[in-house]
Amino acid sequence: MADESRKIALSAAMKQHGETAEQGSESTFTVVLAFAANLLIAVAKSFAAAFTGSASMVAEAAHSWADAGNEVFLLVADRRSQRPRDVRHPMGYGREAYIWSMFAAFGLFTAGAVVSIMHGVQELFNPEPAGDFLIAYLVLAVSFILEGISFTQAYRQARKTARLMQIPTLEHVANSSNPTLRAVFAEDAAALIGLLLAFLGILLHQITGSPIPDAIGSIAVGVLLGVIAVVLIDRNRRFLVGQSASREAEELAVELLLKRPEIDRVTYIHLEFVGPSKLYLVAAVDLQGNRNEDDVALKLRQLERELENVGYIEEAVITLSTKEEPAL
């Protein structure tokens, strides 16, 4: 019975937002790989921007430096959110992941989007000639390969979990309780699109001799980064203020409780994320038979401890139902 209950609980947590411990360690690898790639790309783009004078290349350099800095925030988020709960933090430190991921999203907005747009606007009003286009193209090509490697790793991780949950990969990325996976996936996707925009701007600059397409390319990269940053900020905000689990996960949690012979009815269930793949569970149940007060208290505490031993339940609170409350 215990093994079956554990399986149901894990399924409930994983069904829409969760991931396994193995995939949690894979998230760290995904962030480290993204950081290494973005650091190399940022250095290369900075040299290319200095040699070519291209506005789009300056925007891309700002983008990559912002991404590299953001990966540091994501690594901090991953490490601090895994600390075990203590007396001062009875629900653990899981929400630290959303706080540090929020910092990363703000960094993407300010250091990436704002800088790119401002530089593009400056180039429109004070255009400067660009040259050494071959260097820009070579750097963009190498950057596309490195960003592609990083994005492939993020996509593979997301697809693996999405297959387990039998949902589309993009739906999993959008709804996952793992903010680091979502951030790396979104930032790498934006980076690949941004590289194409930068290539188009530089190519048109070379063909037409006008710096305007290059400047517009810089602004387009900035707008893209701004949109991605706003989406990431909104997703982290939702989890910080209290994101509930899916209705299906709640139904599976009710099934978990009803599998126990001592529980007759479940009249209330609440599942809320308090961190990546960490749930806070509150339930009201009706126990079989009529027990004295001490026996009921002991049984409820026992149920809470058993639920908290399940990997995805950070804290469980079980209360008694009244006779008037309808069963779920």
Side-chain angles (χ1 to χ4, degrees):
M1 177 64 69
D3 291 340
E4 185 179 4
S5 297
R6 181 178 177 84
K7 182 178 179 181
I8 295 172
L10 294 179
S11 297
M14 288 177 62
K15 196 65 181 178
Q16 186 173 355
H17 304 271
E19 61 178 23
T20 65
E22 179 183 355
Q23 290 160 341
S25 61
E26 189 177 4
S27 292
T28 302
F29 173 73
T30 300
V31 176
V32 171
L33 179 62
F35 171 74
N38 281 312
L39 187 61
L40 290 173
I41 293 169
V43 173
K45 286 179 180 177
S46 296
F47 279 110
F51 275 106
T52 64
S54 167
S56 293
M57 191 57 70
V58 172
E60 279 297 307
H63 178 186
S64 293
W65 281 115
D67 280 353
N70 291 344
E71 310 307 338
V72 176
F73 285 122
L74 296 179
L75 287 171
V76 173
D78 189 57
R79 179 175 294 273
R80 292 180 70 93
S81 66
Q82 293 179 16
R83 289 185 296 174
R85 61 180 183 166
D86 51 35
V87 176
R88 297 188 63 183
H89 297 85
M91 291 190 190
Y93 292 83
R95 285 196 171 103
E96 289 245 29
Y98 307 119
I99 294 174
W100 290 95
S101 296
M102 184 81 81
F103 291 158
F106 277 120
L108 182 66
F109 185 84
T110 55
V114 174
V115 170
S116 298
I117 293 174
M118 287 180 59
H119 187 75
V121 172
Q122 289 175 354
E123 283 294 313
L124 283 177
F125 289 99
N126 298 293
E128 295 182 4
D132 296 318
F133 293 105
L134 179 60
I135 294 177
Y137 294 141
L138 289 175
V139 170
L140 288 177
V142 172
S143 299
F144 196 88
I145 293 172
L146 293 176
E147 291 286 6
I149 293 172
S150 178
F151 178 75
T152 299
Q153 167 60 25
Y155 181 81
R156 286 178 56 211
Q157 181 188 345
R159 185 179 62 177
K160 184 188 301 183
T161 309
R163 282 181 174 177
L164 290 174
M165 298 184 289
Q166 299 180 345
I167 60 175
T169 301
L170 290 180
E171 180 181 340
H172 167 58
V173 172
N175 296 323
S176 174
S177 64
N178 183 347
T180 59
L181 171 63
R182 179 167 42 251
V184 173
F185 188 98
E187 289 176 6
D188 285 348
L192 291 173
I193 297 173
L195 287 169
L196 295 176
L197 292 173
F199 169 77
L200 184 61
I202 295 171
L203 180 63
L204 291 175
H205 187 171
Q206 183 181 14
I207 293 174
T208 64
S210 171
I212 292 178
D214 200 4
I216 293 176
S218 176
I219 295 172
V221 170
V223 171
L224 173 66
L225 296 181
V227 171
I228 295 296
V230 169
V231 171
L232 292 177
I233 289 170
D234 179 68
R235 292 304 302 162
N236 284 301
R237 177 193 62 81
R238 293 186 186 186
F239 280 97
L240 279 172
V241 299
Q243 174 76 47
S244 63
S246 66
R247 179 64 181 171
E248 190 173 7
E250 292 179 350
E251 291 173 354
L252 287 169
V254 171
E255 184 180 347
L256 161 67
L257 293 170
L258 291 176
K259 288 285 184 180
R260 303 192 63 89
E262 64 267 36
I263 295 179
D264 183 38
R265 297 183 307 139
V266 178
T267 62
Y268 176 79
I269 191 75
H270 174 75
L271 286 173
E272 179 181 325
F273 280 95
V274 293
S277 301
K278 295 180 180 179
L279 289 161
Y280 171 53
L281 182 149
V282 180
V285 303
D286 185 10
L287 299 178
Q288 294 278 6
N290 293 315
R291 306 164 182 256
N292 63 49
E293 185 176 336
D294 289 340
D295 288 342
V296 169
L298 288 173
K299 177 53 65 177
L300 293 180
R301 298 295 86 75
Q302 179 184 349
L303 284 171
E304 291 171 352
R305 287 193 298 270
E306 290 178 0
L307 288 168
E308 289 168 1
N309 285 332
V310 175
Y312 292 92
I313 306 298
E314 186 71 17
E315 183 170 357
V317 177
I318 309 296
T319 63
L320 289 177
S321 306
T322 64
K323 292 181 179 181
E324 295 77 18
E325 292 175 322
L328 296 178

